[in-house]
Amino acid sequence: MYAQQLGFHSPLPSCCSPREASMASPPSTNPAHAHFESFLQAQLCQDVLSSFQELCGALGLEPGGGLPQYHKIKDQLNYWSAKSLWTKLDKRAGQPVYQQGRACTSTKCLVVGAGPCGLRVAVELALLGARVVLVEKRTKFSRHNVLHLWPFTIHDLRALGAKKFYGRFCTGTLDHISIRQLQLLLLKVALLLGVEIHWGVTFTGLQPPPRKGSGWRAQLQPTPPAHLANYEFDVLVSAAGGKFVPEGFKVREMRGKLAIGITANFVNGRTVEETQVPEISGVARIYNQSFFQSLLKATGIDLENIVYYKDDTHYFVMTAKKQCLLRLGVLHQDLPDTDRLLGSANVVPEALQRFARAAADFATHGKLGKLEFAQDAHGQPDVSAFDFTSMMRAESSARVQEKHGARLLLGLVGDCLVEPFWPLGTGVARGFLAAFDAAWMVKRWAEGAESLEVLAERESLYQLLSQTSPENMHRNVAQYGLDPATRYPNLNLRAVTPNQVRDLYDVLAKEPVQRNSDKTDTGMPATGSAGTQEELLRWCQEQTAGYPGVHVSDLSSSWADGLALCALVHRLQPGLLEPSELQGLEALEATAWALKVAEHELGITPVVSAQAVVAGSDPLGLIAYLSHFHSAFKSTAHSPGPVSQASPGTSSAILFLGKLQRTLQRSRAKENAEDAGGKKLCLEMEAETPSTEVPPDPEPGVPLTPPSQHQEAGAGDLCALCGEHLYVLERLCVDGHFFHRSCFRCHTCEATLWLGGYEQHPGDGHFYCLQHLPQPDHKEEGSDGGPESPVKTVKELPTPSENSMPPGLSTPTASQEGAGPVSDPSQPTRRRIRLSSSERQRLSSLNLTPDPEMEPPPKPPRSCSALARHALESSFVGWGLPVQSPQALVAMEKEEEESPFSSEEEEDVPLDSDVEQALQTFAKTSGTMNNYPTWRRTLLRRAKEEEMKRFCKAQTIQRRLNEIEAALRELEAEGVKLELALRRQSSSPEQQKKLWVGQLLQLVDKKNSLVAEEAELMITVQELNLEEKQWQLDQELRGYMNREETLKTAADRQAEDQVLRKLVDLVNQRDALIRFQEERRLSELALGTGAQG
């Protein structure tokens, strides 16, 4: 029966406790009972197969007999231990959708791959009554890596008897399971349900029917047994992984920048000390720079994120920087090809092991003791580096092939359908959903539904897959079943029509389809592009009509005096400067003013310098710049009033980030000046973000004097860092200077710098990300030698708590801008917004995140006592937890007792000392510690769930930012080719030049859309940063306020005051974010109302 006969091993694994062993003892001398207990307890693939073979032999059965085999086993094994499993499986099989195992009795299926998704779909097909044959090229399960589980996957696996097969299933604060354990328990269920499994057999392709009346077969290696070689099937489900997709399926590549992951599995001795080490649901650099600063300083290791799960092994997974791996000797040399870069010849195993061990030891505060690597399938230390720069996604989830009247339904599940992004922890959950959807498709196929209708329904479900999360699926996981309506709310099975999937039905043989598409996902499509020069010129003429001295007749010389550009800006934002005041300005002054105001007040970033506009030396740059105005304000009605900053295409997020950065810069400069003068800093500061209700004066940095002589006329054509030529699509403007995006990187780690995430060092003039910004006050110990120094030993590694919190804010200080002009007394002046208590309460109740489960930000306190009280009451808000009342804890206690996830077999999880103290303080305050014993586990589980949500959200942002960066690189390359063609082909026909210009404008618009999306993501990054800092400040403030006032030293009071000052600054930033979100929401509502009108 099996392709490879495997030997019998000990029935009881070494990890079983004496109690488990006694429980496993059969109550009778029936040898079948002993074989069954051996089968249940087996912890190796070979043991599972051999014990099941012996069980079937003792019962006189042949394995692989389908559901009839399951009923025969159940009838003969009717003692108490077996009955508990039969009860669970019978309950699942008794669901109406399976029709008592008769829904697909005439369907023959071949499943390729015994991964979790392949085994899960095989189980569903077996429950439907189909004949299921599964082939797997491997002969054992050896993957220790740990998978995060969603609530519905936990319930699903429990319903299949997971606790019976694996007693430690989901017994902690984090819900996860190793791939090996998941495969083992699904393998046992599949064998019991009669799935025929062949090991050591590789599927190499399909063998079409040679003549009418014959069926489809599989090409297998090595030569399979005759009955398997002659097996004809009408359904093929591929779960063979991302590197194998059956011929005919198109695959789309989703590429980001280089991303190197490292996984490490260490031996779990299950000692008391090991059980007390808390797991890490995920820490991301994007919102917790202090942790990674400490890691870098202590070990020289530079990471983007790190996760730690405790299962059969201590499992760590992290994303490492390439430069760090090169510096620490993990990689021999920097190679452009990713496969060669991470190939075995270029990776130093010993250095990789030191790297992983040091990172794991630091993340767990050295509490795991001596870290010994587990062994992989080849007997080597289980540590590896892998590339997840690009992820593949099939464009369709199913196809139908027909030849000689024989139809074959093909479906994809698992990684060959969608390669998961590992930091999100969505792989197994979405894999199971796809398995259910594929089995539902087979059921509909067996019912005789039209082929195109079946394919259309499957593609409609596939469109939902990438959007699913625990929050947007049905809440009652107990009702989940094969029917998609039980899982997806607002389901529309007709989202894709049969006519749209005709290309998925192949009749006879066709030419092979290229597997990988040529195009990379570039994000949002262009909307509102200028299209042609003529359209752009007409729009500019309309907007500047009626201004004295302004006559726009072209897109070059008409703009040289600066008046046309000032008129355009004035039309879109009146009140900044009267047209009469432009008469005294030189062309360069007026142009520089217009560029700066457009950037600061309209969010239009320059791509051309004022000198180039006046000199007329860069017509393509000017056209690209004007097209940004056109795409942003194309739909704006021609009216004398100011336009809304939420007009379609307007970079409101870019505008907000720029204003926030400049406002905080002035605020910090003011604080420094007051501290230097000995003035007392007032804790009740007001946010100085300008309001859009009253037109503000120009920013202080607006230059109304000619630029300095060192800025040449062609300065916009050269990169301020490398000095090389800048083409239009390559230009990035920062503080009035132009850079290549590829040059504008952190001087230390070479990471791309994003708006709101960088700062220029005043000493060396280099740009840094916030994590690597050198501290100007003092030189950190080891800051110079840290990156070059080798990785320290375990005993030398300090814990994160030993390092002080990094000073400063998440928003960096921009370089000082020049002094602005004196405002005209007749012009409105900037004023502070002072909100009433009711208005502030309304704004503070807004939810800053799209997650409906997250609590709204608390009302910002405005006094020292309020700050202290707020910090005590909202200690758990930083965790994403609301303040719990005793009544709330009663409800949580009841919920915990009734939860389907609670079990007598669950372990009491020890807490980190800091978390323990915080929870105890909270419980004492609420008077609940003695009355409700499950509060600790409940609160900690909730906190871990919120940490996981935040981590997943951060990693989603990080991945999309990387994809945007890759897409921008491609757009830049295309733009360079077009610009070179336009500049060099002076003899080309005018029609050809117009075509090239139109294509260039489309690329410019695509770039603007991507940059705007990037800024939106950075707004969310700001929110995550503030949430993390609030949690840190809350914890630090609690430490000071728990001390007796009489025992506090002068240094303690000074430090406490410093924490309060930071908290006030944080409140002001959150207040600014609230205002921005509210203004944008109201603007969108106004636009929607206007559109309906």
Side-chain angles (χ1 to χ4, degrees), residues 731-748:
R731 295 174 188 173
L732 174 68
C733 184
V734 178
D735 297 331
H737 300 284
F738 292 94
F739 305 90
H740 291 102
R741 282 184 66 92
S742 57
C743 292
F744 192 62
R745 296 176 177 273
C746 174
H747 185 66
T748 299

PDB file of all heavy atoms in Angstrom, residues 731-748:
ATOM      1  N   ARG A 731      13.489  62.141  -9.017  1.00  0.00           N
ATOM      2  CA  ARG A 731      13.718  63.249  -8.099  1.00  0.00           C
ATOM      3  C   ARG A 731      12.899  63.120  -6.821  1.00  0.00           C
ATOM      4  O   ARG A 731      11.697  62.898  -6.852  1.00  0.00           O
ATOM      5  CB  ARG A 731      13.405  64.575  -8.790  1.00  0.00           C
ATOM      6  CG  ARG A 731      14.361  64.862  -9.935  1.00  0.00           C
ATOM      7  CD  ARG A 731      13.973  66.105 -10.710  1.00  0.00           C
ATOM      8  NE  ARG A 731      14.798  66.222 -11.909  1.00  0.00           N
ATOM      9  CZ  ARG A 731      14.616  67.121 -12.863  1.00  0.00           C
ATOM     10  NH1 ARG A 731      13.629  68.011 -12.733  1.00  0.00           N
ATOM     11  NH2 ARG A 731      15.395  67.159 -13.917  1.00  0.00           N
ATOM     12  N   LEU A 732      13.586  63.287  -5.714  1.00  0.00           N
ATOM     13  CA  LEU A 732      12.978  63.334  -4.394  1.00  0.00           C
ATOM     14  C   LEU A 732      13.434  64.616  -3.728  1.00  0.00           C
ATOM     15  O   LEU A 732      14.638  64.851  -3.581  1.00  0.00           O
ATOM     16  CB  LEU A 732      13.402  62.121  -3.559  1.00  0.00           C
ATOM     17  CG  LEU A 732      12.959  62.107  -2.097  1.00  0.00           C
ATOM     18  CD1 LEU A 732      11.447  61.958  -2.000  1.00  0.00           C
ATOM     19  CD2 LEU A 732      13.651  60.994  -1.333  1.00  0.00           C
ATOM     20  N   CYS A 733      12.482  65.474  -3.359  1.00  0.00           N
ATOM     21  CA  CYS A 733      12.811  66.771  -2.770  1.00  0.00           C
ATOM     22  C   CYS A 733      12.701  66.695  -1.254  1.00  0.00           C
ATOM     23  O   CYS A 733      11.659  66.315  -0.714  1.00  0.00           O
ATOM     24  CB  CYS A 733      11.880  67.848  -3.319  1.00  0.00           C
ATOM     25  SG  CYS A 733      12.272  69.519  -2.732  1.00  0.00           S
ATOM     26  N   VAL A 734      13.783  67.063  -0.574  1.00  0.00           N
ATOM     27  CA  VAL A 734      13.825  67.110   0.888  1.00  0.00           C
ATOM     28  C   VAL A 734      14.496  68.402   1.301  1.00  0.00           C
ATOM     29  O   VAL A 734      15.660  68.644   0.956  1.00  0.00           O
ATOM     30  CB  VAL A 734      14.585  65.901   1.479  1.00  0.00           C
ATOM     31  CG1 VAL A 734      14.665  66.008   2.992  1.00  0.00           C
ATOM     32  CG2 VAL A 734      13.947  64.603   1.059  1.00  0.00           C
ATOM     33  N   ASP A 735      13.747  69.248   2.019  1.00  0.00           N
ATOM     34  CA  ASP A 735      14.288  70.513   2.519  1.00  0.00           C
ATOM     35  C   ASP A 735      14.911  71.345   1.400  1.00  0.00           C
ATOM     36  O   ASP A 735      15.963  71.966   1.579  1.00  0.00           O
ATOM     37  CB  ASP A 735      15.332  70.268   3.617  1.00  0.00           C
ATOM     38  CG  ASP A 735      14.718  69.601   4.828  1.00  0.00           C
ATOM     39  OD1 ASP A 735      13.522  69.809   5.070  1.00  0.00           O
ATOM     40  OD2 ASP A 735      15.444  68.862   5.531  1.00  0.00           O
ATOM     41  N   GLY A 736      14.276  71.347   0.234  1.00  0.00           N
ATOM     42  CA  GLY A 736      14.732  72.178  -0.860  1.00  0.00           C
ATOM     43  C   GLY A 736      15.851  71.579  -1.680  1.00  0.00           C
ATOM     44  O   GLY A 736      16.321  72.202  -2.642  1.00  0.00           O
ATOM     45  N   HIS A 737      16.314  70.382  -1.365  1.00  0.00           N
ATOM     46  CA  HIS A 737      17.367  69.709  -2.113  1.00  0.00           C
ATOM     47  C   HIS A 737      16.790  68.479  -2.796  1.00  0.00           C
ATOM     48  O   HIS A 737      15.829  67.872  -2.319  1.00  0.00           O
ATOM     49  CB  HIS A 737      18.524  69.306  -1.194  1.00  0.00           C
ATOM     50  CG  HIS A 737      19.175  70.471  -0.500  1.00  0.00           C
ATOM     51  ND1 HIS A 737      20.040  71.323  -1.133  1.00  0.00           N
ATOM     52  CD2 HIS A 737      19.064  70.927   0.772  1.00  0.00           C
ATOM     53  CE1 HIS A 737      20.450  72.257  -0.281  1.00  0.00           C
ATOM     54  NE2 HIS A 737      19.865  72.037   0.887  1.00  0.00           N
ATOM     55  N   PHE A 738      17.402  68.095  -3.908  1.00  0.00           N
ATOM     56  CA  PHE A 738      16.922  66.955  -4.690  1.00  0.00           C
ATOM     57  C   PHE A 738      17.887  65.790  -4.545  1.00  0.00           C
ATOM     58  O   PHE A 738      19.107  65.972  -4.535  1.00  0.00           O
ATOM     59  CB  PHE A 738      16.770  67.344  -6.167  1.00  0.00           C
ATOM     60  CG  PHE A 738      15.665  68.337  -6.423  1.00  0.00           C
ATOM     61  CD1 PHE A 738      15.927  69.695  -6.464  1.00  0.00           C
ATOM     62  CD2 PHE A 738      14.367  67.902  -6.602  1.00  0.00           C
ATOM     63  CE1 PHE A 738      14.913  70.610  -6.684  1.00  0.00           C
ATOM     64  CE2 PHE A 738      13.333  68.800  -6.818  1.00  0.00           C
ATOM     65  CZ  PHE A 738      13.608  70.163  -6.860  1.00  0.00           C
ATOM     66  N   PHE A 739      17.287  64.588  -4.431  1.00  0.00           N
ATOM     67  CA  PHE A 739      18.067  63.371  -4.250  1.00  0.00           C
ATOM     68  C   PHE A 739      17.496  62.271  -5.141  1.00  0.00           C
ATOM     69  O   PHE A 739      16.328  62.307  -5.539  1.00  0.00           O
ATOM     70  CB  PHE A 739      18.013  62.880  -2.795  1.00  0.00           C
ATOM     71  CG  PHE A 739      18.420  63.897  -1.770  1.00  0.00           C
ATOM     72  CD1 PHE A 739      17.486  64.743  -1.193  1.00  0.00           C
ATOM     73  CD2 PHE A 739      19.740  64.008  -1.371  1.00  0.00           C
ATOM     74  CE1 PHE A 739      17.849  65.671  -0.246  1.00  0.00           C
ATOM     75  CE2 PHE A 739      20.117  64.940  -0.418  1.00  0.00           C
ATOM     76  CZ  PHE A 739      19.167  65.776   0.140  1.00  0.00           C
ATOM     77  N   HIS A 740      18.329  61.277  -5.430  1.00  0.00           N
ATOM     78  CA  HIS A 740      17.809  59.994  -5.886  1.00  0.00           C
ATOM     79  C   HIS A 740      17.147  59.317  -4.687  1.00  0.00           C
ATOM     80  O   HIS A 740      17.653  59.404  -3.565  1.00  0.00           O
ATOM     81  CB  HIS A 740      18.933  59.073  -6.395  1.00  0.00           C
ATOM     82  CG  HIS A 740      19.571  59.531  -7.666  1.00  0.00           C
ATOM     83  ND1 HIS A 740      20.795  60.174  -7.687  1.00  0.00           N
ATOM     84  CD2 HIS A 740      19.169  59.423  -8.959  1.00  0.00           C
ATOM     85  CE1 HIS A 740      21.132  60.444  -8.929  1.00  0.00           C
ATOM     86  NE2 HIS A 740      20.165  59.998  -9.729  1.00  0.00           N
ATOM     87  N   ARG A 741      16.045  58.624  -4.913  1.00  0.00           N
ATOM     88  CA  ARG A 741      15.463  57.847  -3.812  1.00  0.00           C
ATOM     89  C   ARG A 741      16.457  56.797  -3.326  1.00  0.00           C
ATOM     90  O   ARG A 741      16.509  56.478  -2.140  1.00  0.00           O
ATOM     91  CB  ARG A 741      14.169  57.164  -4.261  1.00  0.00           C
ATOM     92  CG  ARG A 741      12.959  58.096  -4.314  1.00  0.00           C
ATOM     93  CD  ARG A 741      11.714  57.322  -4.671  1.00  0.00           C
ATOM     94  NE  ARG A 741      11.337  56.369  -3.655  1.00  0.00           N
ATOM     95  CZ  ARG A 741      10.499  56.619  -2.650  1.00  0.00           C
ATOM     96  NH1 ARG A 741       9.941  57.818  -2.534  1.00  0.00           N
ATOM     97  NH2 ARG A 741      10.204  55.704  -1.763  1.00  0.00           N
ATOM     98  N   SER A 742      17.228  56.251  -4.261  1.00  0.00           N
ATOM     99  CA  SER A 742      18.207  55.225  -3.882  1.00  0.00           C
ATOM    100  C   SER A 742      19.354  55.814  -3.070  1.00  0.00           C
ATOM    101  O   SER A 742      20.041  55.081  -2.347  1.00  0.00           O
ATOM    102  CB  SER A 742      18.758  54.536  -5.133  1.00  0.00           C
ATOM    103  OG  SER A 742      19.334  55.495  -6.010  1.00  0.00           O
ATOM    104  N   CYS A 743      19.578  57.151  -3.183  1.00  0.00           N
ATOM    105  CA  CYS A 743      20.638  57.785  -2.388  1.00  0.00           C
ATOM    106  C   CYS A 743      20.136  58.239  -1.025  1.00  0.00           C
ATOM    107  O   CYS A 743      20.928  58.334  -0.084  1.00  0.00           O
ATOM    108  CB  CYS A 743      21.204  58.996  -3.140  1.00  0.00           C
ATOM    109  SG  CYS A 743      22.134  58.583  -4.625  1.00  0.00           S
ATOM    110  N   PHE A 744      18.847  58.534  -0.942  1.00  0.00           N
ATOM    111  CA  PHE A 744      18.305  59.065   0.303  1.00  0.00           C
ATOM    112  C   PHE A 744      18.044  57.909   1.270  1.00  0.00           C
ATOM    113  O   PHE A 744      16.916  57.454   1.457  1.00  0.00           O
ATOM    114  CB  PHE A 744      17.028  59.853   0.026  1.00  0.00           C
ATOM    115  CG  PHE A 744      16.556  60.671   1.194  1.00  0.00           C
ATOM    116  CD1 PHE A 744      17.350  61.685   1.713  1.00  0.00           C
ATOM    117  CD2 PHE A 744      15.326  60.438   1.765  1.00  0.00           C
ATOM    118  CE1 PHE A 744      16.923  62.443   2.788  1.00  0.00           C
ATOM    119  CE2 PHE A 744      14.888  61.193   2.838  1.00  0.00           C
ATOM    120  CZ  PHE A 744      15.693  62.198   3.356  1.00  0.00           C
ATOM    121  N   ARG A 745      19.114  57.447   1.871  1.00  0.00           N
ATOM    122  CA  ARG A 745      19.066  56.296   2.770  1.00  0.00           C
ATOM    123  C   ARG A 745      19.783  56.640   4.072  1.00  0.00           C
ATOM    124  O   ARG A 745      20.546  57.591   4.139  1.00  0.00           O
ATOM    125  CB  ARG A 745      19.722  55.069   2.129  1.00  0.00           C
ATOM    126  CG  ARG A 745      19.004  54.557   0.892  1.00  0.00           C
ATOM    127  CD  ARG A 745      19.756  53.405   0.245  1.00  0.00           C
ATOM    128  NE  ARG A 745      19.036  52.865  -0.899  1.00  0.00           N
ATOM    129  CZ  ARG A 745      18.119  51.925  -0.830  1.00  0.00           C
ATOM    130  NH1 ARG A 745      17.820  51.398   0.342  1.00  0.00           N
ATOM    131  NH2 ARG A 745      17.509  51.499  -1.909  1.00  0.00           N
ATOM    132  N   CYS A 746      19.516  55.823   5.053  1.00  0.00           N
ATOM    133  CA  CYS A 746      20.195  55.979   6.338  1.00  0.00           C
ATOM    134  C   CYS A 746      21.694  55.784   6.153  1.00  0.00           C
ATOM    135  O   CYS A 746      22.124  54.822   5.512  1.00  0.00           O
ATOM    136  CB  CYS A 746      19.642  54.985   7.355  1.00  0.00           C
ATOM    137  SG  CYS A 746      20.518  54.974   8.934  1.00  0.00           S
ATOM    138  N   HIS A 747      22.473  56.687   6.714  1.00  0.00           N
ATOM    139  CA  HIS A 747      23.922  56.615   6.549  1.00  0.00           C
ATOM    140  C   HIS A 747      24.504  55.374   7.214  1.00  0.00           C
ATOM    141  O   HIS A 747      25.574  54.908   6.823  1.00  0.00           O
ATOM    142  CB  HIS A 747      24.564  57.873   7.145  1.00  0.00           C
ATOM    143  CG  HIS A 747      26.035  57.962   6.940  1.00  0.00           C
ATOM    144  ND1 HIS A 747      26.621  58.116   5.694  1.00  0.00           N
ATOM    145  CD2 HIS A 747      27.069  57.904   7.830  1.00  0.00           C
ATOM    146  CE1 HIS A 747      27.937  58.149   5.821  1.00  0.00           C
ATOM    147  NE2 HIS A 747      28.241  58.025   7.105  1.00  0.00           N
ATOM    148  N   THR A 748      23.795  54.830   8.206  1.00  0.00           N
ATOM    149  CA  THR A 748      24.307  53.659   8.930  1.00  0.00           C
ATOM    150  C   THR A 748      23.818  52.349   8.334  1.00  0.00           C
ATOM    151  O   THR A 748      24.615  51.485   7.967  1.00  0.00           O
ATOM    152  CB  THR A 748      23.905  53.734  10.413  1.00  0.00           C
ATOM    153  OG1 THR A 748      24.471  54.910  10.992  1.00  0.00           O
ATOM    154  CG2 THR A 748      24.389  52.501  11.170  1.00  0.00           C
TER     155      THR A 748
END
